Amino acid sequence: MDVSDLRTRLQRIRGDTVPLAAADIALIGAIEKGLPLVSRPYAAVAEQLGISEAQVLERLAALRERGVIKRMGVVVRHRELGYRANGMVVWDVPDDAVAGLGQCFSRYDFVTLCYRRPRQLPEWPYNLFCMIHGKSHDEVHQGIARLVRECGLQRVPHEVLFSRRRFKQRGARYHCPERREPPHAPGEAAHRG
Amino acid sequence: MELTDLERHLLNDFQHDLLLTPRPYAEMGERLGVDEQAVIDALERLRECGVVTRVGAVFRPHSVGASTLAALAVPPERLETVAGIVSAYRHVNHNYEREHDYNLWFVATAPDEGELCDVLEDIERATGLPVLALPLLEDYHIDLGFELRWT
C-alpha cells in the first residue's frame, strides 16, 4: 500500500465536504450505536449530551437536510432474512463512463449500493462497484445479466465476488478510544453463508 | 426465524424517514395499530436476535471521519487467523470473506485520514500482507433500504 498516495487521496475527498460542528460530532457519537429503545429516545440522547430534546431534533433534521445522514430508521441485516447471496460486482469501465453507468445502475432496486472507487494497477483494474443482495446466486447473476443488457456493458470486463463468510458486521464507529475490541465481543461471531 | 406481522412491518416500513418527533415509536405504533410498548418490545427482540443492527442513522461516507474499503489476498490456510487480526480493530466495522484471490474485504473508519492510514499500516505489519485500499470516490446510489420480499 502506498500510504502517502492514500493519505493525499483521502484528504482530497474530505476537502470536498463541509466540516461538522463539534456539537454535531458529539451527537453522531451518541447515536452511532443506535437510538435507545425507550419512549423518548431523543430526550435520552439529549440528557447524555447535556442539551435539550428540541436541540437534538433540530440538529438531526439539519444533518438529514444536508445529506450527512442518508437515512434514519430500522437498519436491517439482510442475511438473517434469507438474503444470503451477497454479490459485490466490480466493473472496469472507461473513466468518462463511470458516472453515467452509476446512474443507470441506481435505477434498479436490486442494486443496493453503487460506488466509484480508484483502480489500483496492476493488481486491481476495477473502478465501479455495486452490491446486489439476492436470495440465491442465480438471482444475483440474473441481476447482473440485466445490468449488462440494459446499461450496455456487453464489452466491459467484470467480476462478481460473492461473500462466503461474515467475520464482522456492525455500524461504523467514528470514535475509537481503544484500538482493539475486547476478545470475543458478543454478537461478532463468524457466520457461514 | 418466524416473524410476526408486526415485526415484518417494522422491518419493511421504517427503513427510512424515522420521525423526528419526541415519541417516534408511538407514531410507528399508531400507523400499525399497536401501542408504543409493543413497538419497543418488538424492536428489542429483532435487535437481540440480530435481524436489526440498530434503529438509527446511516451516515454518508466521508462526512464524518475518514473511511475506506480495503482488501487482502490471504493464503487460504491463514484466512481465519488474519480475519481475526483484522476484526480485532475497533476501526473495522465490516469484515467478509469473498470468493476471489482478494478473499478478505473490510471497511475501516477513523476520526481522520492520519489515524486511518496508521491503522492500515498496522494491519500490514500485523498480517505481513499488503493492503489494497479502495476509498470511495463517488456515491451513485443512496442507501435507502430496500423492499423485503417474504416469500
Side-chain angles (χ1 to χ4, degrees):
Chain A
M1 181 184 69
D2 181 341
V3 175
S4 67
D5 176 61
L6 177 64
R7 189 173 284 126
T8 310
R9 206 185 275 280
L10 288 167
Q11 281 165 349
R12 201 180 311 135
I13 295 167
R14 291 245 283 156
D16 296 338
T17 61
V18 182
L20 293 169
D24 287 326
I25 293 171
L27 175 57
I28 288 166
I31 66 163
E32 66 191 2
K33 292 181 190 171
L35 293 170
L37 295 174
V38 297
S39 176
R40 295 180 65 174
Y42 303 110
V45 170
E47 193 179 351
Q48 191 189 330
L49 294 171
I51 59 177
S52 72
E53 182 184 38
Q55 283 172 309
V56 167
L57 291 168
E58 277 164 32
R59 284 194 176 276
L60 288 174
L63 289 170
R64 195 150 76 174
E65 187 70 24
R66 281 172 60 189
V68 171
I69 291 176
K70 296 205 298 183
R71 67 177 167 105
M72 276 194 82
V74 178
V75 181
V76 175
R77 293 171 111 162
H78 296 105
R79 184 182 297 233
E80 273 70 5
L81 294 173
Y83 289 80
R84 296 191 170 273
N86 163 337
M88 180 173 80
V89 194
V90 296
W91 313 78
D92 171 10
V93 306
D95 287 333
D96 58 2
V98 179
L101 288 169
Q103 304 296 341
C104 190
F105 285 9
S106 68
R107 289 200 283 270
Y108 296 84
D109 64 0
F110 57 82
V111 175
T112 48
L113 294 167
C114 181
Y115 296 127
R116 177 180 188 179
R117 298 186 184 278
R119 306 172 202 276
Q120 297 285 2
L121 297 172
E123 299 90 353
W124 190 258
Y126 303 107
N127 56 348
L128 182 62
F129 286 59
C130 70
M131 300 293 293
I132 302 180
H133 282 89
K135 295 198 169 182
S136 66
H137 282 211
D138 272 357
E139 197 179 305
V140 172
H141 282 298
Q142 284 162 20
I144 296 169
R146 269 189 78 186
L147 295 179
V148 167
R149 207 166 49 236
E150 295 173 20
C151 295
L153 291 159
Q154 286 80 358
R155 281 189 295 278
V156 166
H158 72 271
E159 288 190 85
V160 53
L161 286 75
F162 280 107
S163 71
R164 199 177 276 156
R165 252 188 301 182
R166 181 178 71 204
F167 292 109
K168 186 172 185 180
Q169 182 194 13
R170 64 156 163 71
R173 303 272 199 281
Y174 295 96
H175 302 279
C176 305
E178 295 150 43
R179 179 156 289 193
R180 289 177 197 287
E181 300 276 11
H184 310 298
E188 306 285 15
H191 289 247
R192 284 172 192 278
Chain B
M1 65 178 279
E2 283 302 309
L3 295 171
T4 64
D5 273 354
L6 171 62
E7 288 167 339
R8 289 180 180 203
H9 277 292
L10 289 173
L11 291 172
N12 213 25
D13 303 355
F14 298 97
Q15 292 185 34
H16 42 91
D17 299 332
L18 183 75
L19 288 171
L20 290 174
T21 53
R23 293 175 62 186
Y25 308 124
E27 308 250 1
M28 289 160 79
E30 207 161 293
R31 276 177 51 186
L32 299 174
V34 297
D35 68 11
E36 181 183 43
Q37 196 56 46
V39 170
I40 289 174
D41 291 346
L43 288 172
E44 190 74 62
R45 180 174 110 90
L46 290 169
R47 198 173 58 173
E48 270 169 19
C49 62
V51 172
V52 163
T53 316
R54 65 186 181 280
V55 179
V58 175
F59 299 100
R60 185 176 66 203
H62 299 308
S63 57
V64 192
S67 64
T68 190
L69 175 69
L72 293 170
V74 187
E77 68 279 8
R78 289 187 59 206
L79 187 65
E80 291 201 14
T81 311
V82 171
I85 293 170
V86 171
S87 291
Y89 287 85
R90 283 186 187 272
H91 301 77
V92 171
N93 54 65
H94 285 67
N95 189 21
Y96 280 83
E97 179 188 3
R98 291 192 179 276
E99 296 170 358
H100 194 270
D101 289 344
Y102 280 100
N103 52 357
L104 192 67
W105 288 79
F106 59 96
V107 176
T109 303
D112 57 61
E113 47 272 10
E115 186 169 330
L116 180 60
C117 289
D118 287 351
V119 168
L120 296 178
E121 285 187 297
D122 215 55
I123 288 174
E124 288 195 331
R125 271 193 301 273
T127 62
L129 298 165
V131 168
L132 181 70
L134 303 166
L136 184 152
L137 300 178
E138 270 182 277
D139 181 349
Y140 301 110
H141 190 62
I142 300 175
D143 172 17
L144 292 175
F146 75 103
E147 181 97 3
L148 298 161
R149 286 170 288 111
W150 303 109
T151 50

